[in-house]
Amino acid sequence: MKKPRLTGIGLIVGTALLFGGGASPAQADVAQLKNGSTIEVVRFELNEGWVVLYLTGGGQLALRQDQVVEIRRTPVETILRPSTSDREQGESTPPPSVEPGGSPMPEADAVSPGGNEPPSARSSIPSDDRPALVDLATRVARDHDVDVDLVLAVIQVESGYNTRAISPKGAAGLMQLMPRTALRFDVLDPLDPEENVTGGVLYLKELLDRYSGEVRLALAAYNAGEEAVERFGGIPPYRETIQYVERIVVQMRR
């Protein structure tokens, strides 16, 4: 399959236009995302139609170029404004690994050049509207026959209902989906509340099926990965995972 070209994508610094895999200097820039979020980054790179953001708190986030409206250096200078005018319809390329052994981020849905249209209707829930987010999570959980209390507890522990939460390891959104998990469940925008919750609920459902409804094992796998649960034949002896499972179980009882 032919790979999308980077034609029309550049790094603008002053009057210089650099095509290809450019990177910003090591200072705090601001990435403006299509869904309205802003993220502070110390640098970024262009790679085969993807923008790899290196976060100020550590970790990386790789997004399709059409998911990023612009990257600007405060107060006014725009240093990256991706264009999608040269993307051929129907073509795609896997996201780059942002570090040796790193997991790729999922693809973002298409946006016209400039990326200034409003977010989709599914993204219309304000990030601080907790009742609406609870209603969303409740509906998705019921749609997929997953315990509502379990889903709400996972969201509380994972992100505290912060739709824009991004961990140093790159986990994103309400249910803190890791890049590989988001890709696995077709989550195109991990910061979109409905996409994120749907992906997280589907993952929980798969884990519950895998471990015959054993909630603690499913939660341990959600936190540490199925491989760790299989390796230790149960909840891994990791302090973080043990505490994570207990926090969610307690939250479910409230």
Side-chain angles (χ1 to χ4, degrees):
M1 180 180 291
K2 183 180 177 183
K3 293 182 178 179
R5 296 170 293 168
L6 282 174
T7 307
I9 305 171
L11 170 64
I12 306 174
V13 181
T15 59
L17 179 62
L18 307 175
F19 287 96
S24 68
Q27 66 178 71
D29 300 325
V30 177
Q32 175 72 49
L33 305 187
K34 172 194 168 186
N35 68 357
S37 300
T38 57
I39 301 175
E40 282 196 357
V41 299
V42 294
R43 65 188 181 96
F44 62 87
E45 295 176 353
L46 302 179
N47 188 335
E48 296 286 345
W50 291 77
V51 181
V52 181
L53 305 176
Y54 292 81
L55 311 179
T56 55
Q60 304 87 20
L61 186 64
L63 297 172
R64 274 260 294 273
Q65 64 188 58
D66 50 16
Q67 190 73 0
V68 181
V69 176
E70 66 180 13
I71 298 176
R72 61 183 179 272
R73 182 162 300 141
T74 54
V76 293
E77 184 180 12
T78 297
I79 57 176
L80 175 73
R81 179 167 287 141
S83 168
T84 61
S85 59
D86 293 293
R87 183 190 303 278
E88 297 185 25
Q89 292 295 323
E91 292 186 338
S92 63
T93 185
S97 289
V98 294
E99 59 184 6
S103 300
M105 282 299 294
E107 292 189 5
D109 48 346
V111 60
S112 61
N116 292 318
E117 71 272 62
S120 66
R122 291 190 302 171
S123 304
S124 61
I125 300 176
S127 59
D128 60 350
D129 191 345
R130 180 163 177 153
L133 294 173
V134 169
D135 288 345
L136 166 65
T138 299
R139 171 175 57 79
V140 174
R142 287 174 176 166
D143 285 347
H144 296 284
D145 196 26
V146 176
D147 186 346
V148 172
D149 290 336
L150 172 61
V151 173
L152 296 180
V154 169
I155 294 174
Q156 177 61 45
V157 171
E158 287 283 0
S159 68
Y161 286 86
N162 180 358
T163 63
R164 300 180 181 182
I166 299 177
S167 79
K169 294 182 179 179
L174 288 169
M175 298 190 73
Q176 289 290 279
L177 300 182
M178 290 296 289
R180 184 178 299 173
T181 305
L183 184 64
R184 177 173 164 186
F185 292 97
D186 298 321
V187 176
L188 304 180
D189 179 0
L191 298 181
D192 176 279
E194 180 150 347
E195 286 198 46
N196 187 284
V197 171
T198 300
V201 167
L202 288 174
Y203 187 33
L204 279 175
K205 183 178 179 65
E206 182 178 286
L207 292 173
L208 287 166
D209 290 343
R210 178 169 182 166
Y211 298 112
S212 303
E214 290 288 337
V215 172
R216 290 175 181 271
L217 290 181
L219 290 173
Y222 194 95
N223 176 261
E226 298 112 294
E227 298 85 357
V229 173
E230 300 299 328
R231 185 184 316 124
F232 291 100
I235 298 177
Y238 307 149
R239 178 179 299 178
E240 176 189 335
T241 301
I242 294 171
Q243 292 177 345
Y244 173 85
V245 171
E246 291 305 316
R247 286 176 64 196
I248 292 181
V249 170
V250 170
Q251 185 68 34
M252 290 175 64
R253 293 170 179 164
R254 291 181 178 177

